[in-house]
Amino acid sequence: EVAEEINRDRLATWERYYAGLKPLADQGKLVLPTVPEECGHNAHMFYLKCRDLEERTALIRHLKANDILAVFHYIPLHSAPAGQKFGRFDGADVYTTAESERLVRLPMYYGLTEADRNKVIAKVLEFYAQ
C-alpha cells in the first residue's frame, strides 16, 4: 500500500549518499555505484568500493565505532562453502575476489532519517580525511 512512499524514501537516501560522497569519488579515493543513463533503479542498496580489503576493513571498523552498521557486500560463490562443495571455478580469478573485497554496503532502509544520512556521510568523509 505504501510501496511508492518506501521507494521515494530509499531513493532519497541513495541520492543523498551519492551527492555527499561524490567529492571522494572525484578525488579517486573510492568508487560509487554506476547507473547507466537509460536505466532506473529502486535504491535496493548503496555500495561503495574501497581501494582494497585492508581499507574496507578499516572503514567498516571506523563506522562501527561511530554506531553505523556497514557490511561487506558478498562472498564470491567459488569461495563460499556451497560453491566449493557443489561448484567449480574455471580459469584465473582475476577480478571476482579482488572486487568483492572492496565492496561496502552503507545502511539503506525505509525511514533512515536525514540526520542518519548526514552522519553516515560525515563519518565516511572523516575516515578518508585521516
Side-chain angles (χ1 to χ4, degrees):
E1 293 177 11
V2 294
E4 287 183 34
E5 177 185 332
I6 291 169
N7 286 339
R8 276 194 306 274
D9 180 80
R10 292 173 66 91
L11 281 166
T13 296
W14 196 99
E15 290 168 1
R16 180 67 186 103
Y17 281 163
Y18 193 92
L21 298 173
K22 189 167 183 333
L24 293 176
D26 292 344
Q27 295 167 26
K29 293 186 176 186
L30 54 76
V31 177
L32 296 176
T34 301
V35 179
E37 286 188 32
E38 68 277 7
C39 296
H41 67 93
N42 65 359
H44 168 70
M45 75 171 94
F46 190 93
Y47 69 87
L48 52 88
K49 288 185 185 182
C50 299
R51 183 182 63 241
D52 54 27
L53 177 59
E54 182 180 342
E55 183 176 286
R56 179 186 81 179
T57 301
L59 174 59
I60 290 173
R61 188 179 308 119
H62 174 77
L63 294 173
K64 184 177 181 180
N66 288 281
D67 299 319
I68 298 168
L69 180 61
V71 297
F72 56 86
H73 182 70
Y74 77 101
I75 298 170
L77 182 58
H78 69 275
S79 300
Q84 290 178 339
K85 183 175 180 179
F86 300 111
R88 70 170 194 253
F89 190 91
D90 293 323
D93 180 6
V94 177
Y95 302 106
T96 307
T97 299
E99 289 301 305
S100 73
E101 290 176 347
R102 299 175 61 201
L103 288 164
V104 177
R105 288 178 66 168
L106 297 181
M108 174 62 74
Y109 54 86
Y110 174 65
L112 194 64
T113 68
E114 188 65 21
D116 290 335
R117 295 170 187 162
N118 292 336
K119 179 180 177 182
V120 171
I121 293 164
K123 293 303 175 182
V124 172
L125 293 172
E126 178 181 278
F127 175 81
Y128 281 99
Q130 299 175 14

